[in-house]
Amino acid sequence: MNASQLNARLQALSENCGFDIYWHVRLAASGEELTRGGEVVLPSASVRKISVMMAALHAAGEGRLDLDQPVVIRKEQQEGILSGVCQYMTPGLTFPMRDAILQMIITSDNICTYEVMKDLEIAEFTAYCRRIGMENTTHRTRLPPVGLSPAHALEHVTTTTAQDQVLLLQLILAGAEGDAAATERLGVDAANCAMALRFLTWQRFRSMIPGHLPTMATVANKTGWGERGWMDAAIVFKDDAPLYIMSATTDQVPKVMPNGLPGRVASTVAIAELSRACWDALG
């Protein structure tokens, strides 16, 4: 199946979902890019944490953040947290900043996200995205706002595009492979790019882009969900080589679909089907 045929297949899968779905795909072998609203600005939810990680590693490279500095989990931080594992841990748990970045990625831990971001201004994360070419990504909060309605405005949350996320993942991949232009653009050395990529491959949430792939397929991904929808961004590998990079977001997702299934389930299946179509066409 060529790129044109794959694009037609992906577009067909995106019709009549019962919600909006946007995606951008880069084919690793050819560099061709396919898109459905890949330039549309949407809530990023926890997918934002990929750029938080890279901005933090950039700050570490400049000596403004210490990856070995201790992070201490305090009881007052644990109330009202809806993601990750640190909300359940015994107060006083201490581990290095490097492990906070890890938990921010693999369990989407929001206590760890706050700890990673707290010593840097929020505007710095947006500036970092602009530096590397993510022109339509805007960071607005350290912790996700609570009490938003499904109709909330974009200005209430961090926002991004599928194109921006594919660009970021492509740069991380190139940086991990030692591409000097990528490491310079990211402001992160090859060793820390490789660490970031490794963290992404250790992701615990695998129901979306990895969801319909072979069980042991290597996927470097970060998921997210918010009041408006679900999202995932990933590099998918086959035989240790990158096969495709994908970012997909659902929006305006009903809580319950007409068939009675939660919108969450329909969202994850829709994204998983898009990914499987890419796997079958390219693999």
Side-chain angles (χ1 to χ4, degrees):
M1 186 182 293
N2 61 31
S4 177
Q5 292 169 322
L6 174 58
N7 183 62
R9 174 65 176 149
L10 296 176
Q11 299 291 349
L13 286 170
S14 304
E15 297 292 337
N16 304 315
C17 293
F19 44 78
D20 299 327
I21 187 164
Y22 304 86
W23 45 262
H24 195 78
V25 179
R26 178 183 173 89
L27 314 186
S30 67
E32 293 173 278
E33 297 192 2
L34 314 176
T35 198
R36 182 185 179 92
E39 77 291 349
V40 176
V41 176
L42 295 162
S44 72
S46 289
V47 172
R48 72 190 176 108
K49 294 170 185 176
I50 307 174
S51 56
V52 170
M53 171 171 63
M54 299 313 293
L57 293 176
H58 171 59
E62 293 188 331
R64 297 182 295 112
L65 187 72
D66 182 357
L67 297 181
D68 293 320
Q69 71 188 65
V71 170
V72 181
I73 303 304
R74 304 183 305 277
K75 183 173 178 60
E76 61 269 22
Q77 292 178 296
Q78 297 175 308
E79 301 298 326
I81 294 295
L82 298 177
S83 68
V85 297
C86 287
Q87 60 182 311
Y88 305 113
M89 298 299 186
T90 303
L93 174 70
T94 303
F95 46 80
M97 178 62 70
R98 183 181 291 101
D99 289 348
I101 295 173
L102 170 64
Q103 288 298 329
M104 176 180 72
I105 295 298
I106 71 171
T107 68
S108 209
D109 195 288
N110 276 335
I111 294 176
C112 288
T113 304
Y114 178 82
E115 289 294 321
V116 172
M117 297 182 75
K118 72 176 184 180
D119 291 331
L120 302 172
E121 296 296 327
I122 292 173
E124 181 174 337
F125 293 93
T126 298
Y128 179 79
C129 290
R130 298 291 186 274
R131 164 204 167 105
I132 65 176
M134 298 174 71
E135 295 294 337
N136 294 302
T137 298
T138 304
H139 287 264
R140 294 188 172 92
T141 64
R142 290 187 175 87
L143 290 173
V146 296
L148 292 180
S149 76
H152 71 78
L154 292 176
E155 291 74 17
H156 292 151
V157 295
T158 293
T159 50
T160 191
T161 68
Q163 285 180 343
D164 276 3
Q165 294 302 320
V166 168
L167 170 64
L168 176 58
L169 290 171
Q170 172 63 21
L171 288 171
I172 294 170
L173 176 63
E177 293 172 342
D179 184 289
T183 57
E184 181 177 358
R185 188 168 172 181
L186 289 167
V188 178
D189 64 23
N192 278 332
C193 285
M195 182 179 72
L197 183 61
R198 188 164 62 251
F199 285 0
L200 290 162
T201 66
W202 293 343
Q203 175 61 244
R204 300 295 89 193
F205 299 113
R206 293 176 56 88
S207 62
M208 287 187 267
I209 290 175
H212 287 185
L213 303 185
T215 301
M216 299 307 293
T218 300
V219 181
N221 73 301
K222 180 71 195 80
T223 62
W225 67 274
E227 292 298 329
R228 291 175 43 158
W230 294 73
M231 56 285 293
D232 198 3
I235 307 167
V236 176
F237 296 82
K238 187 174 186 183
D239 299 328
D240 297 323
L243 191 61
Y244 56 95
I245 303 174
M246 168 181 281
S247 179
T249 298
T250 61
D251 194 35
Q252 308 301 326
V253 179
K255 294 292 185 186
V256 180
M257 302 300 293
N259 63 3
L261 286 177
R264 165 184 56 81
V265 174
S267 289
T268 57
V269 168
I271 293 173
E273 288 180 342
L274 291 172
S275 179
R276 182 69 201 206
C278 292
W279 178 273
D280 289 341
L282 302 171

